[in-house]
Amino acid sequence: YASSVIDEETGKGLEYRDLIKHPKYKTIWTQSAPNELGNLAQGVGGRIPSTNTIRFVSKATIPSNKKITYAQIVCKIRPQKADPYHTCITIGGDKLEYPGETATPTTNLTTTKVLFNSAISTHNAKF
């Protein structure tokens, strides 16, 4: 289970659906996911600020020529953070159509050669 939370007692990987049912983890994770959704949407009361990144709509308001997709809830523990119990929400991009370019251009071979040559040719350069 990539990025799943590992149960300390059993060593089993737990996903969101497992965490919200588990007596030991239920309280933590039933707050983490709504916090993430609230942050992406219109906030949670006064405790979670809004970014207005997403907006929930009823299925009846979706035009017939548009597709809907699913959300994947991923939980992970990040002990170095102030709030170590983190929930991410990703969407099922395999179900969506986008008319524009979906690839991310990186660089070409010439640019890479110039960069490496500059680093190699510069005295005491660090890369």
Side-chain angles (χ1 to χ4, degrees):
Y1 298 150
S3 297
S4 61
V5 175
I6 306 299
D7 187 332
E8 298 166 352
E9 296 170 6
T10 65
K12 179 183 173 191
L14 302 174
E15 295 184 8
Y16 179 71
R17 66 177 167 260
D18 305 314
L19 292 165
I20 61 173
K21 296 175 189 172
H22 196 289
K24 181 177 177 182
Y25 303 112
K26 182 178 182 176
T27 304
I28 294 168
W29 294 104
T30 53
Q31 185 169 4
S32 178
N35 287 352
E36 176 66 9
L37 282 170
N39 180 259
L40 291 172
Q42 286 69 51
V44 178
R47 66 183 176 87
I48 301 294
S50 167
T51 60
N52 282 316
T53 303
I54 62 173
R55 178 174 51 93
F56 294 100
V57 296
S58 68
K59 190 173 180 179
T61 62
I62 299 171
S64 61
N65 64 335
K66 298 292 181 180
K67 290 186 175 185
I68 58 174
T69 189
Y70 59 90
Q72 175 72 31
I73 301 174
V74 179
C75 300
K76 54 187 162 186
I77 298 176
R78 305 178 308 171
Q80 72 279 14
K81 299 288 187 174
D83 181 9
Y85 305 103
H86 183 69
T87 301
C88 295
I89 311 233
T90 60
I91 63 161
D94 59 326
K95 304 289 184 194
L96 299 177
E97 293 178 7
Y98 178 70
E101 181 64 46
T102 58
T104 304
T106 54
T107 188
N108 59 32
L109 185 58
T110 303
T111 305
T112 305
K113 286 181 177 182
V114 169
L115 173 66
F116 289 138
N117 189 37
S118 174
I120 292 169
S121 302
T122 305
H123 183 64
N124 292 330
K126 294 182 180 180
F127 191 74

